[in-house]
Amino acid sequence: MRERTAARRRGESPAPSPAQGDASAMDLETKPRLPKEVPSLLKARAVKDFLARFCFVGIFITENILHAVYFDMEVDNMVVPAVAPLPREFAVSLHLVHIVFGLFGAIFVLVSGFDTAGRTALTKGTSMMLVFMSTITWTWWINRQGTPYWELDPYPFWDVRCSAEKRNRTVHILKNISIVGALTILQQMAKYETEALPVRPSFLEGLVTALRPWSFAGTLGPQFVMLAVLRCLLKEE
């Protein structure tokens, strides 16, 4: 009985017509295939192009290596006073974000010039560097060692009575703002070119996509904050 019912259902179900099969085959044939490589303004074609990238972000690689070497000293003397009254664990996680985002963001910008799909590296690298520049500007210059910029003295930075400390901070703050602007320009250029000239993912793009350094900082940061909360609840120093 079951076999007769199954045979009857197979007989009632309509078989795909040859026209439908031809249409699906035509769809597969006419579906546009992305090229392996397209002309890109962001691809490094000469040594000068690579040197330009290195001059732009090389200083951040050196800076973040030094941040890692002097990690404890900088956390205690710079980051903790800048984020007070938040606990030291928050300062540790924030400085960890500084190093990871600044170092890998600069490296991604460097390697982005080796192939067209490096636009992904440029987009992600500039995003991480924008986070780095925003947070480091606050901890290092706006609220340096717990003293806000606006409390240094009552005079504007162009006034001759303005203190040297305030002028120095002003120069660094304006410099960082200009770097943020340059990073945003590069990021938008990479996004617009990706939309206008799509290309098949390359090995470099797959490597950059698989490597997620921001997850390292994003995982450890909440753990440090949770540790600080537990210590406060247990009333431990």
Side-chain angles (χ1 to χ4, degrees):
M1 180 66 69
R2 293 181 180 176
E3 295 179 354
R4 292 179 182 178
T5 305
R8 188 183 304 168
R9 290 177 179 176
R10 286 197 297 269
E12 294 176 354
S13 60
S17 63
Q20 291 177 348
D22 295 340
S24 60
M26 290 178 61
D27 291 339
L28 292 175
E29 292 178 358
T30 57
K31 186 177 180 179
R33 293 185 176 181
L34 296 177
K36 290 184 178 180
E37 189 173 356
V38 295
S40 174
L41 296 175
L42 301 174
K43 183 177 180 179
R45 296 178 175 84
V47 178
K48 182 179 180 181
D49 299 335
F50 180 77
L51 288 177
R53 278 180 165 84
F54 184 78
C55 292
F56 180 44
V57 299
I59 182 61
F60 298 109
I61 297 177
T62 305
E63 177 184 352
N64 285 284
I65 291 176
L66 293 176
H67 284 327
V69 172
Y70 301 104
F71 186 86
D72 290 333
M73 183 182 69
E74 291 183 350
V75 166
D76 293 332
N77 297 321
M78 300 295 294
V79 187
V80 169
V83 299
L86 296 176
R88 187 179 188 277
E89 285 77 8
F90 179 83
V92 171
S93 63
L94 180 60
H95 204 39
L96 185 65
V97 169
H98 290 162
I99 296 172
V100 174
F101 278 44
L103 182 61
F104 282 93
I107 292 175
F108 282 1
V109 172
L110 281 179
V111 303
S112 65
F114 289 106
D115 73 339
T116 305
R119 295 177 297 190
T120 301
L122 185 60
T123 303
K124 293 186 177 181
T126 51
S127 298
M128 287 190 288
M129 289 196 64
L130 285 172
V131 175
F132 164 75
M133 292 302 302
S134 302
T135 55
I136 205 74
T137 300
W138 171 262
T139 55
W140 247 248
W141 303 113
I142 298 179
N143 195 26
R144 186 179 179 87
Q145 295 181 327
T147 304
Y149 172 85
W150 50 87
E151 292 183 2
L152 289 174
D153 57 61
Y155 308 108
F157 66 89
W158 60 82
D159 196 304
V160 294
R161 294 169 294 178
C162 176
S163 63
E165 171 69 16
K166 190 172 186 178
R167 289 181 181 177
N168 182 49
R169 288 203 204 180
T170 302
V171 170
H172 285 281
I173 292 171
L174 295 178
K175 178 258 298 179
N176 289 354
I177 291 174
S178 66
I179 293 175
V180 168
L183 289 170
T184 305
I185 291 174
L186 286 175
Q187 185 181 73
Q188 293 303 107
M189 288 176 62
K191 288 182 178 179
Y192 295 151
E193 188 174 284
T194 302
E195 295 173 358
L197 300 172
V199 64
R200 273 189 283 177
S202 67
F203 172 77
L204 176 62
E205 183 173 4
L207 180 63
V208 170
T209 304
L211 182 63
R212 303 178 183 274
W214 49 87
S215 62
F216 177 68
T219 303
L220 289 182
Q223 294 181 23
F224 283 126
V225 176
M226 182 60 66
L227 177 61
V229 173
L230 292 176
R231 289 176 59 184
C232 291
L233 292 177
L234 297 174
K235 298 180 180 180
E236 292 184 0
E237 293 295 333

